[in-house]
């Protein structure tokens, strides 16, 4: 399968690329700046802003599916990265007749998500980090989901919990709407997306994905994912 990966130069996008190539998919890595990404067998690099219709049209031409791993940092101001890119990408997919879309969202997009047995997270970390520091970011994720729901695409929202780095894929768990857990390794997030792309268990709904085999350092996770600037 030939797939387009948006946010290809980000931490999740890079995981997607490596795992997709290992599974013998052809990949178009779509990124605003290629950085250290360069074309190699099975991989083409398309330099494009995900909010530029002409550039997105050119990037996804000839692909069979689109995977969006676009993301941004917490901000006090209004965030539009997710919803604006979703509008452009879904429009381009409709014009090209590409049906399959997987977009990274968050467990926070499920208003009923409360991991069981996670008292400190539910009553301290979640209100402070997700509902306050990350409020504008998660508001735009919800707008993104609204944009995509209104299309006729075969979409899946991929909702991880707190993202962290782990070198290998684990025995991750998925569930409809959201999954009952606090953390998700990026390797597992990428693996779940590639599996769902072809298995199609969660078409036109959300897939929660969590990692249970390993746990990150919480303070380091908050710093790396929500505070530190790159």
């Amino acid at each position: 399968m030939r797939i387009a990966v948006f946010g290809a130069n980000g931490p999740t996008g890079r995981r997607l690329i490596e795992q997709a190539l290992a599974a013998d998919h052809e990949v178009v890595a779509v990124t605003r700046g290629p950085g250290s990404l360069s074309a190699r067998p099975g991989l083409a690099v398309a330099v494009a802003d995900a909010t530029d219709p002409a550039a997105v049209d050119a990037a996804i031409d000839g692909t069979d599916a689109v995977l969006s791993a676009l993301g941004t940092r917490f901000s006090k101001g209004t965030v539009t990265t997710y919803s604006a890119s979703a509008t452009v990408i879904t429009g381009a997919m409709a014009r090209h007749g590409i049906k399959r879309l997987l977009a990274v969202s968050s467990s926070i997009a499920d208003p009923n998500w409360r991991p069981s047995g996670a008292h400190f997270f539910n009553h301290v970390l979640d209100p402070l980090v997700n509902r306050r520091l990350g409020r504008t970011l998660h508001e735009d994720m919800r707008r993104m989901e609204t944009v995509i729901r209104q299309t006729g695409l075969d979409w899946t929202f991929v909702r991880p919990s707190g993202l962290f780095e782990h070198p290998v894929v684990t025995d991750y768990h998925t569930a409809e709407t959201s999954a009952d857990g606090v953390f998700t390794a990026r390797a597992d997030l990428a693996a779940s997306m590639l599996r769902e792309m072809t298995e199609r268990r969660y078409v036109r709904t959300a897939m929660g994905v969590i990692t249970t085999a390993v746990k990150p350092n919480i303070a380091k996770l908050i710093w790396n994912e929500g505070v530190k600037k790159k």
Side-chain angles (χ1 to χ4, degrees), residues 45-224:
V45 179
V47 179
D49 188 312
T51 62
D52 182 338
V56 171
D57 264 338
I60 70 169
D61 187 23
T63 60
D64 304 301
V66 173
L67 279 61
S68 176
L70 290 164
T72 189
R73 295 287 180 182
F74 290 170
S75 172
K76 293 180 180 179
T78 301
V79 174
T80 61
T81 299
Y82 301 96
S83 57
S85 62
T87 299
V88 172
I89 291 169
T90 57
M93 290 178 68
R95 288 189 292 274
H96 285 275
I98 304 166
K99 296 287 288 184
R100 194 68 174 109
L101 170 65
L102 292 94
V104 175
S105 181
S106 171
S107 295
I108 301 298
D110 174 10
N112 299 314
W113 178 68
R114 291 294 185 278
S116 60
H119 182 84
F120 181 72
F121 176 85
N122 289 331
H123 296 281
V124 179
L125 287 182
D126 185 46
L128 174 62
V129 177
N130 293 323
R131 317 286 171 173
R132 185 176 178 182
L133 296 178
R135 180 180 60 82
T136 57
L137 183 151
H138 292 116
E139 285 174 349
D140 196 43
M141 280 186 171
R142 295 185 186 98
R143 288 192 291 269
M144 172 192 74
E145 290 195 359
T146 298
V147 168
I148 294 173
R149 279 194 185 95
Q150 295 170 348
T151 72
L153 303 176
D154 293 340
W155 50 264
T156 300
F157 302 135
V158 186
R159 291 175 172 172
S161 297
L163 288 168
F164 70 100
E165 294 296 339
H166 186 66
V168 296
V169 177
T170 75
D171 187 18
Y172 60 85
H173 175 71
T174 63
E176 188 171 346
T177 306
S178 59
D180 187 10
V182 179
F183 306 112
T184 307
R186 283 196 171 87
D188 292 342
L189 173 59
S192 71
M193 293 177 73
L194 292 170
R195 186 176 74 176
E196 170 57 21
M197 180 178 68
T198 55
E199 288 190 357
R200 301 173 60 87
R201 295 175 58 200
Y202 300 98
V203 174
R204 297 188 68 81
T205 189
M207 175 183 75
V209 54
I210 56 168
T211 298
T212 58
V214 292
K215 294 182 180 180
N217 178 286
I218 294 177
K220 185 176 180 181
L221 183 151
I222 294 171
W223 174 257
N224 287 337

